Amino acid sequence: MSVGTAQAGVNGVVAGPREVVRRRRRTLLTFTVRWIYFLPAAVYLALFFGYPIVKNITMSFQHYTTATFYTGEAPWVGLSNYIAVIQSQVFGTTIVNTAIFTVGCIVGQFGLGLLLALFFKQRFPLNGLLRSLLLLPWLLPLIVSSAVWKWILDQDSGVLNEFLVGLHITPGPVSWLTSPSLALGSVILVCIWVGIPFNAVILYGGLQEIPTELYEAAALDGATGWKAFRHVTWPLLRPVTDVVLVLGVVYTLKVIDIILGLTDGGPANATQTIATRSYQLSFSLFDFGQGSAMGNVLLVVSLIFAVIYLRLSRRSSNV
Amino acid sequence: MSELTASRPLGGQRRGDAPHRQRPRGRRWANLVIGILIMVVMLFPVYWMINVSLQPINGAIEANWFPWNAQLSAYIEVIGAQGPNLVTSLLVAIGSVVLSLAIATPAAYALSRSPGRMVDIVLFLILITQMIPGIVVANALYPAFNDLGLLDSIPGLILADASAGIPFAIILMRAFMSNIPTEIIEAAWVDGASSFRAFWSVVIPVSRNALVTAGLFTFLFAWSDFLFALTLTTTPKVRPITLGIFEYLSSTNENWSQVMATAGLASIPAIALLLAAQRFIASGVTGGAVK
């Protein structure tokens, strides 16, 4: 818009008034045309994101079960779905699990991703090739990663136990996925493995943006190695790290494939998160009302982080 | 700080110049070795998947560390059993690419040509859609698809899977199209081209790389989709490969070579893209996430 207007101003001196009017009409027209271009996307987004949110909210106040699909009846039940979900014994576990899972995943992914990004910032042969191969865990379907890790972590014939027992690191096979005290840790491990490439690539991009001169100036002041990282790299990388961390939280909160594939929320709900519990309520127990209530809890948490993301990205674009 | 400089000026100086000067040879080769070690650890699960898929393993027999007697028998069995599922995944993924690009390309163009507050709000909403948990969408789509007869259908899965591709493709392509000089498009208008012609024969060819990147990622998203496959299909009639793998995992199947062979087949698009389309992948990872 602004470009068009500016041009009309410049050319207007030469062109007659009629030319200006025609130009303005075309600007107006293209404005409408532009929104016609956007219309299909608007309709799609409304149907596949807007509608589900509204539907989740309404369903969460309804008794919405398998019977509803036959009779079409979904009586309003007020807050009772929320009360049932929150009073359920599993609720506390799922909240704690979700928090541990998200924090554990993010800390691991981010820490190792940052180390890799710093490592690959150095020049050495085959750097580019190795960096792109590193992306593979992130590109694989999550259910494929789950399957492979389920086999690696298998108690009886998994290669990890074979390795650990063979080297006498552990006295016997460890029940990585079937012990209630270890399962969540194992699921976090797989989540970290999947997320490292994404973190490494984004942080690597951020590192490349930091001007070399700053390191030279810092080195003149004697700041190299850890000091350079502390006083140059970290402060300048902050906008990128903020965004990566918040995006990481939002993406990790909704993870469902890894958990369903590895443990299906078990053993004894040891790996049940808000997302998997919502799935379980709707699609295993066929109580869509309660499933939606649980889904809305997840939605609210996600949207809080989405707002934080907006704040952060606004601040970084102002800089 | 300045005191430190005074105390060891030489050390500081040399390190500071490092980015311009060649690093010592030994250091570079040491880094290469570390880099390869990192890759070995990170890619071990992928190696293990391929390794196991080439060995006939049943029950609790431990696999060899290297497939000395490589056999393709697991793949042959799996192609027989999972062949239709692979075709389903392929149709869903291709359909999803076509639908996503058809919807996202004009939208990205519209958003790239009219910067302003309105566009910022729309872009923010699109970013937010990427953060909406899939289970929330699935909860609502199941009853809706049930009413519309879209459960257990390829069109249904195409529509649902595009929900990952469309927001991503709009953001990615808009960022690219914003850099197309207005003059190029206006030149087309001056030549008498209609708005659509200018879009079709100028904007799209110029944005080819962005379209390819968006298309490749949309394909991967739909191919990898598990949640919609799991929730929006109820019979074996329409069953993407991801669901085929999940069936193995949730049953008491002990034939791990078959599971790994299926996983290996399901990994082909990711591996192929990584080998054949590296430059597109790199731009997609960063382009879709951070504006």
Side-chain angles (χ1 to χ4, degrees), chain B residues 184-195:
Chain B
I184 297 184
I185 299 158
E186 279 181 352
W189 287 340
V190 170
D191 290 346
S194 66
S195 164

PDB file of all heavy atoms in Angstrom, chain B residues 184-195:
ATOM      1  N   ILE B 184       8.636  -5.596 -10.151  1.00  0.00           N
ATOM      2  CA  ILE B 184       8.468  -6.755 -11.044  1.00  0.00           C
ATOM      3  C   ILE B 184       6.987  -7.006 -11.285  1.00  0.00           C
ATOM      4  O   ILE B 184       6.556  -7.238 -12.419  1.00  0.00           O
ATOM      5  CB  ILE B 184       9.102  -8.009 -10.408  1.00  0.00           C
ATOM      6  CG1 ILE B 184      10.606  -7.819 -10.242  1.00  0.00           C
ATOM      7  CG2 ILE B 184       8.822  -9.229 -11.261  1.00  0.00           C
ATOM      8  CD1 ILE B 184      11.296  -9.049  -9.724  1.00  0.00           C
ATOM      9  N   ILE B 185       6.207  -6.926 -10.206  1.00  0.00           N
ATOM     10  CA  ILE B 185       4.779  -7.214 -10.334  1.00  0.00           C
ATOM     11  C   ILE B 185       4.088  -6.077 -11.073  1.00  0.00           C
ATOM     12  O   ILE B 185       3.235  -6.309 -11.945  1.00  0.00           O
ATOM     13  CB  ILE B 185       4.157  -7.444  -8.952  1.00  0.00           C
ATOM     14  CG1 ILE B 185       4.838  -8.659  -8.296  1.00  0.00           C
ATOM     15  CG2 ILE B 185       2.662  -7.663  -9.045  1.00  0.00           C
ATOM     16  CD1 ILE B 185       4.730  -8.693  -6.810  1.00  0.00           C
ATOM     17  N   GLU B 186       4.494  -4.847 -10.772  1.00  0.00           N
ATOM     18  CA  GLU B 186       3.875  -3.709 -11.453  1.00  0.00           C
ATOM     19  C   GLU B 186       4.193  -3.708 -12.933  1.00  0.00           C
ATOM     20  O   GLU B 186       3.373  -3.301 -13.756  1.00  0.00           O
ATOM     21  CB  GLU B 186       4.330  -2.405 -10.796  1.00  0.00           C
ATOM     22  CG  GLU B 186       3.516  -2.142  -9.535  1.00  0.00           C
ATOM     23  CD  GLU B 186       3.893  -0.861  -8.839  1.00  0.00           C
ATOM     24  OE1 GLU B 186       4.891  -0.239  -9.255  1.00  0.00           O
ATOM     25  OE2 GLU B 186       3.198  -0.498  -7.888  1.00  0.00           O
ATOM     26  N   ALA B 187       5.381  -4.196 -13.273  1.00  0.00           N
ATOM     27  CA  ALA B 187       5.745  -4.273 -14.680  1.00  0.00           C
ATOM     28  C   ALA B 187       4.775  -5.175 -15.427  1.00  0.00           C
ATOM     29  O   ALA B 187       4.383  -4.888 -16.562  1.00  0.00           O
ATOM     30  CB  ALA B 187       7.177  -4.797 -14.816  1.00  0.00           C
ATOM     31  N   ALA B 188       4.360  -6.234 -14.766  1.00  0.00           N
ATOM     32  CA  ALA B 188       3.407  -7.148 -15.391  1.00  0.00           C
ATOM     33  C   ALA B 188       2.060  -6.449 -15.606  1.00  0.00           C
ATOM     34  O   ALA B 188       1.407  -6.635 -16.628  1.00  0.00           O
ATOM     35  CB  ALA B 188       3.226  -8.395 -14.531  1.00  0.00           C
ATOM     36  N   TRP B 189       1.675  -5.604 -14.625  1.00  0.00           N
ATOM     37  CA  TRP B 189       0.421  -4.879 -14.774  1.00  0.00           C
ATOM     38  C   TRP B 189       0.491  -3.909 -15.943  1.00  0.00           C
ATOM     39  O   TRP B 189      -0.442  -3.783 -16.711  1.00  0.00           O
ATOM     40  CB  TRP B 189       0.102  -4.095 -13.489  1.00  0.00           C
ATOM     41  CG  TRP B 189      -0.347  -4.977 -12.370  1.00  0.00           C
ATOM     42  CD1 TRP B 189      -0.843  -6.231 -12.466  1.00  0.00           C
ATOM     43  CD2 TRP B 189      -0.339  -4.642 -10.988  1.00  0.00           C
ATOM     44  NE1 TRP B 189      -1.147  -6.716 -11.229  1.00  0.00           N
ATOM     45  CE2 TRP B 189      -0.856  -5.760 -10.295  1.00  0.00           C
ATOM     46  CE3 TRP B 189       0.049  -3.518 -10.258  1.00  0.00           C
ATOM     47  CZ2 TRP B 189      -0.988  -5.777  -8.914  1.00  0.00           C
ATOM     48  CZ3 TRP B 189      -0.096  -3.541  -8.886  1.00  0.00           C
ATOM     49  CH2 TRP B 189      -0.599  -4.660  -8.220  1.00  0.00           C
ATOM     50  N   VAL B 190       1.643  -3.235 -16.030  1.00  0.00           N
ATOM     51  CA  VAL B 190       1.811  -2.261 -17.109  1.00  0.00           C
ATOM     52  C   VAL B 190       1.669  -2.954 -18.460  1.00  0.00           C
ATOM     53  O   VAL B 190       1.097  -2.438 -19.402  1.00  0.00           O
ATOM     54  CB  VAL B 190       3.181  -1.551 -16.988  1.00  0.00           C
ATOM     55  CG1 VAL B 190       3.462  -0.715 -18.225  1.00  0.00           C
ATOM     56  CG2 VAL B 190       3.204  -0.692 -15.726  1.00  0.00           C
ATOM     57  N   ASP B 191       2.167  -4.194 -18.524  1.00  0.00           N
ATOM     58  CA  ASP B 191       2.036  -4.959 -19.758  1.00  0.00           C
ATOM     59  C   ASP B 191       0.615  -5.444 -19.974  1.00  0.00           C
ATOM     60  O   ASP B 191       0.350  -6.192 -20.908  1.00  0.00           O
ATOM     61  CB  ASP B 191       2.980  -6.185 -19.724  1.00  0.00           C
ATOM     62  CG  ASP B 191       4.422  -5.750 -19.836  1.00  0.00           C
ATOM     63  OD1 ASP B 191       4.650  -4.585 -20.201  1.00  0.00           O
ATOM     64  OD2 ASP B 191       5.313  -6.563 -19.531  1.00  0.00           O
ATOM     65  N   GLY B 192      -0.303  -5.057 -19.102  1.00  0.00           N
ATOM     66  CA  GLY B 192      -1.704  -5.388 -19.288  1.00  0.00           C
ATOM     67  C   GLY B 192      -2.121  -6.697 -18.647  1.00  0.00           C
ATOM     68  O   GLY B 192      -3.234  -7.165 -18.871  1.00  0.00           O
ATOM     69  N   ALA B 193      -1.237  -7.291 -17.836  1.00  0.00           N
ATOM     70  CA  ALA B 193      -1.603  -8.555 -17.200  1.00  0.00           C
ATOM     71  C   ALA B 193      -2.616  -8.289 -16.094  1.00  0.00           C
ATOM     72  O   ALA B 193      -2.556  -7.264 -15.424  1.00  0.00           O
ATOM     73  CB  ALA B 193      -0.363  -9.228 -16.626  1.00  0.00           C
ATOM     74  N   SER B 194      -3.532  -9.223 -15.917  1.00  0.00           N
ATOM     75  CA  SER B 194      -4.484  -9.096 -14.824  1.00  0.00           C
ATOM     76  C   SER B 194      -3.765  -9.426 -13.522  1.00  0.00           C
ATOM     77  O   SER B 194      -2.646  -9.935 -13.516  1.00  0.00           O
ATOM     78  CB  SER B 194      -5.652 -10.059 -15.033  1.00  0.00           C
ATOM     79  OG  SER B 194      -5.179 -11.381 -14.929  1.00  0.00           O
ATOM     80  N   SER B 195      -4.448  -9.126 -12.428  1.00  0.00           N
ATOM     81  CA  SER B 195      -3.858  -9.418 -11.121  1.00  0.00           C
ATOM     82  C   SER B 195      -3.501 -10.891 -11.024  1.00  0.00           C
ATOM     83  O   SER B 195      -2.419 -11.258 -10.557  1.00  0.00           O
ATOM     84  CB  SER B 195      -4.847  -9.042 -10.022  1.00  0.00           C
ATOM     85  OG  SER B 195      -4.468  -9.621  -8.813  1.00  0.00           O
TER      86      SER B 195
END
